[in-house]
Amino acid sequence: MARKIVFLLVLLLGLLLASVSAYATTDTDAAAPDTGLTNDKVSSVDNTGTIQAIDTENTPTDAPVAKDAPVGVPSQAPAGTEPGASEEEEENIGYERYISEFLDPASEITDNFLVNIKWNQKDPVNNPLNYVLTGTVKQDSESGSPLIVMLYINADGVYIPLVCVDGTNIIEVSGVAFVSRADLLYLGSDKVNEIRIIAFRKEDADNLIPGVNLQITDKLITAKKTVIIPVPINLDSVLDALKVK
């Protein structure tokens, strides 16, 4: 009988110990269901090749960023150039420094040995200031260098660019002729538009000599508005005139 009681006590003790062990294991797993993944997430900020945090408070939001520039460092345009300026605009600005001395109203004009330009009103009724420019190149270039034609108009004693329909006062001619349009400044028979034409080969831009490789031509244009006066027609008179006598 005593053996049975001892056996039952040992069995109960074993069951009790087993239940306590199972309870402890369950709590540990719940606290860390995936210990390895959790450790990777915590230590990933120190791994090589990961994306670093960006300090947006100290980074300009409206500054352009170069493609290969470090994060947070805005790219800068080369010194002496306007942001966003095209190569053509920069080149046009370059021509100005070569011909600025020839924009003095007192400068002597030359013969038309490079180009001849004719001016005609496009619409003398609705827009009498709009003129068509028809240019003919008179001298070919052995090297094939384009002809540069620059247009200016006298405004209160100062020559300013005469801008054509393409948005510039510079016409680059690679062939033998060109056509463009421009609006003059002054309308009326009592006002004269004083236009200065400067022409040279592109290859000679940095060494211009009037009469040798530089043409300076002045053109005076009086823009008059054409008025169409309606003529009344007497229908009866027309019919009478058409009758066969």
Side-chain angles (χ1 to χ4, degrees), residues 10-217:
V10 172
L11 181 61
L12 291 174
L13 180 62
L15 292 174
L16 179 62
L17 291 174
S19 63
V20 171
S21 177
Y23 178 77
T25 303
T26 302
D27 286 347
T28 303
D29 293 342
D34 194 346
T35 304
L37 181 60
T38 304
N39 290 339
D40 289 342
K41 289 181 178 180
V42 173
S43 61
S44 63
V45 294
D46 296 328
N47 292 340
T48 303
T50 57
I51 300 175
Q52 301 298 324
I54 300 175
D55 186 3
T56 57
E57 294 182 359
N58 298 325
T59 302
T61 58
D62 57 348
V65 180
K67 181 179 180 181
D68 299 328
V71 176
V73 180
S75 61
Q76 297 180 355
T81 60
E82 293 291 335
S86 65
E87 294 182 1
E88 181 179 355
E89 291 172 339
E90 293 175 3
E91 190 173 60
N92 292 349
I93 295 174
Y95 289 141
E96 295 285 351
R97 70 174 182 268
Y98 297 128
I99 58 91
S100 59
E101 62 180 296
F102 305 114
L103 294 180
D104 185 345
S107 297
E108 294 185 4
I109 62 174
T110 67
D111 295 332
N112 297 344
F113 65 96
L114 288 177
V115 63
N116 186 41
I117 300 179
K118 294 183 178 180
W119 303 74
N120 295 293
Q121 281 182 312
K122 173 67 175 178
D123 188 354
V125 176
N126 299 313
N127 187 7
L129 288 177
N130 189 249
Y131 272 70
V132 177
L133 294 68
T134 305
T136 304
V137 178
K138 302 181 65 175
Q139 187 180 100
D140 295 333
S141 172
E142 296 180 358
S143 63
S145 178
L147 182 69
I148 304 300
V149 179
M150 304 182 70
L151 305 173
Y152 293 87
I153 188 167
N154 193 323
D156 298 327
V158 178
Y159 278 108
I160 63 173
L162 177 59
V163 180
C164 297
V165 292
D166 57 356
T168 179
N169 70 315
I170 300 176
I171 303 173
E172 184 170 321
V173 187
S174 298
V176 296
F178 66 90
V179 177
S180 187
R181 292 203 321 269
D183 285 336
L184 305 186
L185 291 181
Y186 305 113
L187 178 64
S189 58
D190 58 334
K191 297 180 180 179
V192 178
N193 294 275
E194 301 179 18
I195 300 172
R196 172 154 293 183
I197 304 166
I198 296 179
F200 54 88
R201 291 289 176 183
K202 190 173 184 178
E203 63 183 0
D204 299 328
D206 58 348
N207 185 29
L208 297 176
I209 303 175
V212 177
N213 57 11
L214 172 65
Q215 174 182 322
I216 304 175
T217 304

